[in-house]
Amino acid sequence: VSAFLLNRSSDLGVKEIEGGQYAVFLYRGSYDKLQCAYNFIFKTWLPDSRCTLRSLPVFEKFLSDARYTPPEKTKTEIYVPIE
């Protein structure tokens, strides 16, 4: 999997993301409340699941174009590396 990275100097880069098993969550809502989804994932879902977090980065896939989608209707997938 490749991911685009944008850093402070506005350089666009590509990073390879290791394969394996990921728990995928669909978040619907404004980006400013995305932290609520992360709180649920790491404080509720992960402890209650039988999964273990792998030592890899969590990443997001933005499914909506924020320029044309109302904030409350944006969709984001959150990928959490698990084993």
Side-chain angles (χ1 to χ4, degrees), residues 34-77:
L34 192 58
Q35 184 61 44
C36 294
Y38 278 94
N39 288 343
F40 168 77
I41 293 167
F42 289 102
K43 292 181 179 179
T44 303
W45 181 82
L46 190 59
D48 291 344
S49 74
R50 294 184 177 188
C51 300
T52 303
L53 187 63
R54 290 189 293 152
S55 184
L56 293 170
V58 173
F59 64 94
E60 300 163 356
K61 180 179 179 183
F62 300 99
L63 304 176
S64 305
D65 188 332
R67 296 174 296 176
Y68 308 110
T69 308
E72 67 277 0
K73 293 189 177 185
T74 58
K75 295 179 185 176
T76 306
E77 288 179 341

